[in-house]
């Protein structure tokens, strides 16, 4: 009996000193957006991802490439010039996949593992992101999407406007699914605006920003209308073929 009690006491005592597995999180997420005069925007995302003591192959980054106007029409942005590097300029392996209105970057290698903190610097260009109204132009950008399944300790978005963009309204929204909260800190210095979230973002919580520009500050560069496969000519012909086949088969 004494041996049993001693064993239980020893197990409880030593169990207090067994290190627990640290949960994954994003320590720092900074986005730098530069609005160009030609209507494109250059985006740089600096993601300091903490894997804790876990071993992973890398991360996924989902970037929406569609937007919906006030009439409910969907448009497709032109995203290109992708690169992914670390803080020393070394390139990461990544695959780019497109589905359901998102471009997904699968960053990392299946043959190697990463652990601890890793810096991912993602760069790309987007065309068609500016919306043109009668009295102003506007950039709305879903800067930090709500697809992250880990919390984000610090989140910032920095936007640089071109010359002639003027001092117009800027706004920030956060939330999950629908971004309806506005608990952000906004600081404007000349042509630059910094959006900071007050407190850490929970998992599946995103952050979007709105920056208005003087009309004509950037070139007119509208995105093309987004069509599903069944809305394209090939999709319609395929549907007709399926219907005719079903009729003849019947």
């Amino acid at each position: 009996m004494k041996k049993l009690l001693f064993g239980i006491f020893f197990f409880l005592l030593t169990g207090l000193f067994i290190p627990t597995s640290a949960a994954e999180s994003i320590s720092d997420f900074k986005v730098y957006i530069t609005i160009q005069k030609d209507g494109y925007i250059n985006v740089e995302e600096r993601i300091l991802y903490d894997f804790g003591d876990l071993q992973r192959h890398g991360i996924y980054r989902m970037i929406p490439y569609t937007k919906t106007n006030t009439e409910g029409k969907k448009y497709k942005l032109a995203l290109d010039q992708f690169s992914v590097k670390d803080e020393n300029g070394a390139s990461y392996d990544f695959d780019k996949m497109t589905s359901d209105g998102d471009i997904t970057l699968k960053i990392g290698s299946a043959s190697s593992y990463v652990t601890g903190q890793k810096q991912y610097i993602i760069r790309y260009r987007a065309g068609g992101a500016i919306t043109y109204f009668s009295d102003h132009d506007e950039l709305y950008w879903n800067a930090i999407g709500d697809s992250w399944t880990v919390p984000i300790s610090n989140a910032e978005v920095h936007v640089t406007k071109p010359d002639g963009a003027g001092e117009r309204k800027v706004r920030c929204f956060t939330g999950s699914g629908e971004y309806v909260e506005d608990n952000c800190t906004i600081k404007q210095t000349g042509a630059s605006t910094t959006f900071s979230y007050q407190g850490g973002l929970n998992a599946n919580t995103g952050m979007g920003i709105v920056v208005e520009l003087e009309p004509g500050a950037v070139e007119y560069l509208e995105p093309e209308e987004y069509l599903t496969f069944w809305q394209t000519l090939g999709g319609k012909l395929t549907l007709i073929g399926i219907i005719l086949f079903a009729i003849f088969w019947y």
Side-chain angles (χ1 to χ4, degrees):
M1 186 65 179
K2 288 182 179 180
K3 289 183 178 181
L4 178 61
L5 292 175
F6 176 80
I8 294 173
F9 175 78
F10 180 79
F11 175 79
L12 293 174
L13 181 63
T14 55
L16 296 175
F17 297 96
I18 297 174
T20 58
S21 175
E24 292 177 77
S25 66
I26 295 175
S27 303
D28 195 52
F29 197 135
K30 289 186 173 69
V31 183
Y32 299 87
I33 302 171
T34 304
I35 304 174
Q36 305 288 342
K37 293 285 288 185
D38 61 4
Y40 286 90
I41 65 170
N42 291 332
V43 183
E44 176 179 293
E45 301 178 354
R46 290 180 170 263
I47 304 170
L48 184 59
Y49 200 101
D50 191 351
F51 295 94
D53 56 7
L54 302 173
Q55 288 191 326
R56 302 292 193 208
H57 293 289
I59 64 171
Y60 287 90
R61 172 63 174 122
M62 295 176 64
I63 305 169
Y65 71 93
T66 62
K67 69 177 186 179
T68 305
N69 68 5
T70 54
E71 298 174 354
K73 286 186 178 180
K74 238 179 183 181
Y75 291 88
K76 181 172 63 174
L77 308 183
L79 272 62
D80 58 13
Q81 299 183 7
F82 285 92
S83 71
V84 186
K85 297 183 178 181
D86 65 12
E87 67 276 18
N88 299 314
S91 297
Y92 284 104
D93 293 332
F94 72 93
D95 294 319
K96 183 167 68 77
M97 301 166 286
T98 303
S99 65
D100 298 329
D102 291 320
I103 288 178
T104 300
L105 302 180
K106 181 182 178 183
I107 305 169
S109 174
S111 60
S112 61
Y113 290 94
V114 291
T115 190
Q117 284 194 339
K118 294 295 178 184
Q119 180 84 64
Y120 296 92
I121 302 174
I122 305 171
R123 295 187 179 99
Y124 55 94
R125 185 182 70 159
I130 306 295
T131 303
Y132 305 91
F133 297 94
S134 59
D135 60 343
H136 72 280
D137 299 338
E138 180 181 287
L139 169 67
Y140 170 76
W141 194 250
N142 187 4
I144 300 175
D146 60 358
S147 60
W148 295 101
T149 57
V150 299
I152 301 172
S153 300
N154 181 62
E156 292 180 9
V157 181
H158 303 262
V159 180
T160 302
K161 298 180 291 185
D163 294 335
E167 294 293 330
R168 305 283 300 205
K169 291 181 181 179
V170 293
R171 285 162 288 170
C172 179
F173 304 99
T174 58
S176 180
E178 295 291 333
Y179 294 1
V180 294
E181 302 173 11
D182 60 353
N183 51 343
C184 304
T185 299
I186 301 176
K187 181 180 179 181
Q188 289 186 274
T189 307
S192 299
T193 305
T194 300
F195 304 85
S196 305
Y197 185 74
Q198 297 176 349
L201 288 170
N202 295 324
N204 300 115
T205 302
M207 180 176 175
I209 58 94
V210 175
V211 175
E212 291 188 7
L213 312 170
E214 287 290 334
V218 297
E219 292 183 20
Y220 192 81
L221 186 64
E222 276 279 25
E224 63 177 283
E225 189 173 356
Y226 176 78
L227 300 174
T228 65
F229 172 73
W230 301 109
Q231 292 174 312
T232 63
L233 178 60
K236 291 176 180 177
L237 292 176
T238 301
L239 182 60
I240 292 172
I242 292 173
I243 293 173
L244 290 175
F245 174 80
I247 291 173
F248 284 118
W249 178 82
Y250 180 77

